[in-house]
Amino acid sequence: AKETSGSHFEFYTDILKDSIHREFMIRNFLNRAIESDEFILHYQPIIDLKSLSIVGSEALIRWNQPNLGFLAPVQFIPIAERTGDIDAIGKWVLKEACIQTKKWQEDGFGDLSISVNISVKQLENKLFSHTVIKTLNEVQLSPEYLYLEITEESSISDSIKIQENYNKLTEFGVHFSVDDFGTGYSSLSKLNELRIDQLKSDKSFIDDLEVSKKIVDTILSIGKNLNLSVVAEGIETKEQLQYLIGNGCDLGQGYLFSKPKSSLEYEKMLKRNYFK
Ligand code: C2E
Ligand code: CA
Ligand code: CA
Ligand code: CA
């Protein structure tokens, strides 16, 4: 803000201009980011809470932009959804994550699954299922290892294109997981109808377990009753872990086990593969 102005209005318009300028730059840089190799994937382990061993990984994108620095997904994924770049980015994420998982499987780290975040925009693209199936075939990764993480918004959608993508992919053997479960508006009958396999309870509930115990218990019982596995996200403390184990939660993820790591660092952790 200009020192001399003394006006709140000018102060906010400056901030607005800055953010518009930033979005403008991000938009411009986005479409070259793939060919310039600026994206990388980090991986965070998904832990079986009975054996405390790693059974899968979630792929999380990061962008190392030469002018803007290291960007978190919240800073560019929403923009990529608006520009349409999300399709190309999503394709890259899927392929990279599948190649890496295949390699880890071949290197003897066990039957690791891979969870990939999918925007509703991607699911609305009628070529989406084709892209996924083609990628799995090329990489020679069996579909049972792939979990597509979708939002509650996608899970209740009546869009024909989304439904077709679901149907083709579940028929092919790919799994679906509902991310941030409990924050949106899932319909329990839809979860059944769509043959959803997994719920990921939103990390805000685990964060605030004191207040959210009943919500967590409810999610766990929905999982039991509908025969879906439940992943508790955002586990940061031993107390949270104890509560979840005590209440029959199958899977967990969070900083208590590991932050998302580069493939190199992740592999070092796979070599140990236990958190006892
Ligand atoms: P999400 O799918 O809910 O991913 C979980 C986020 O929580 C990740 O943030 C992860 O680093 C963070 N997290 C994991 N454990 C803990 C914990 O114990 N405590 C806390 N405080 N945080 C934890 P990240 O990597 O910044 O990703 C943010 C969001 O960006 C993701 O939320 C997902 O919606 C989106 N995203 C990430 N990668 C992709 C992608 O490849 N494609 C799409 N479409 N979206 C992506
Ligand atoms: Ca996710
Ligand atoms: Ca989540
Ligand atoms: Ca989220």
Side-chain angles (χ1 to χ4, degrees), residues 6-274:
S7 140
H8 286 287
F9 180 70
E10 253 181 72
F11 176 72
Y12 288 118
T13 48
D14 279 359
I15 289 179
L16 192 63
K17 272 188 216 146
D18 282 354
S19 71
I20 290 170
H21 179 61
R22 201 179 160 78
E23 167 145 0
F24 180 77
M25 287 196 297
I26 290 177
R27 277 174 179 260
N28 268 328
F29 292 141
L30 263 179
N31 53 40
R32 277 174 290 137
I34 292 182
E35 7 172 349
S36 316
D37 249 346
E38 292 167 2
F39 292 120
I40 55 160
L41 291 184
H42 277 188
Y43 297 89
Q44 189 180 31
I46 296 171
I47 313 294
D48 175 89
L49 297 185
K50 288 202 184 70
S51 60
L52 294 182
S53 60
I54 301 173
V55 292
S57 336
E58 178 175 1
L60 294 155
I61 195 170
R62 276 94 183 87
W63 184 12
N64 198 357
Q65 212 295 322
N67 304 93
L68 301 172
F70 206 65
L71 301 180
V74 286
Q75 296 173 281
F76 63 90
I77 290 290
I79 298 175
E81 288 172 350
R82 290 198 284 277
T83 60
D85 287 306
I86 193 67
D87 283 315
I89 294 173
K91 233 180 193 173
W92 177 85
V93 170
L94 181 75
K95 181 129 191 202
E96 179 77 13
C98 289
I99 290 173
Q100 183 61 75
T101 299
K102 176 73 181 181
K103 186 174 170 294
W104 282 328
Q105 288 186 354
E106 285 179 344
D107 289 348
F109 293 117
D111 287 343
L112 285 180
S113 65
I114 181 72
S115 297
V116 176
N117 292 287
I118 305 295
S119 296
V120 63
K121 280 269 147 30
Q122 289 173 265
L123 274 175
E124 279 165 351
N125 184 328
K126 74 173 195 305
L127 294 175
F128 180 72
S129 56
H130 172 77
T131 302
V132 174
I133 292 169
K134 187 163 158 258
T135 302
L136 287 168
N137 286 336
E138 277 169 11
V139 177
Q140 300 267 291
L141 182 71
S142 170
E144 71 198 89
Y145 297 117
L146 180 62
Y147 283 77
L148 299 179
E149 295 196 359
I150 61 171
T151 60
E152 283 180 289
E153 185 197 353
S154 311
S155 78
I156 55 164
S157 169
D158 284 327
S159 147
I160 300 291
K161 282 178 194 153
I162 291 189
Q163 309 253 347
E164 280 176 3
N165 280 322
Y166 275 135
N167 292 343
K168 283 191 189 136
L169 288 167
T170 45
E171 222 157 88
F172 191 68
V174 170
H175 297 288
F176 279 91
S177 176
V178 180
D179 207 353
D180 304 342
F181 185 75
T183 58
Y185 300 90
S186 293
S187 131
L188 297 183
S189 59
K190 265 280 165 87
L191 295 179
N192 247 2
E193 191 187 307
L194 290 170
R195 291 179 287 169
I196 295 287
D197 306 279
Q198 185 175 77
L199 304 177
K200 294 188 87 169
S201 76
D202 192 67
K203 63 175 180 295
S204 61
F205 304 134
I206 309 298
D207 254 4
D208 231 344
L209 198 52
E210 283 311 310
V211 242
S212 307
K213 270 196 170 102
K214 285 191 172 153
I215 296 177
V216 172
D217 293 350
T218 304
I219 294 175
L220 291 172
S221 74
I222 291 172
K224 285 265 137 35
N225 291 326
L226 296 182
N227 206 13
L228 313 169
S229 63
V230 176
V231 185
E233 275 193 298
I235 304 175
E236 293 182 353
T237 69
K238 289 215 164 102
E239 290 69 35
Q240 292 164 346
L241 177 62
Q242 282 320 317
Y243 184 82
L244 291 161
I245 291 175
N247 287 276
C249 184
D250 315 291
L251 301 163
Q253 199 179 339
Y255 293 172
L256 176 66
F257 300 111
S258 166
K259 291 198 170 178
K261 292 177 173 185
S262 69
S263 54
L264 205 71
E265 290 302 312
Y266 192 84
E267 197 166 312
K268 288 181 194 163
M269 186 172 57
L270 283 178
K271 287 185 175 139
R272 291 182 277 119
N273 191 11
Y274 66 87

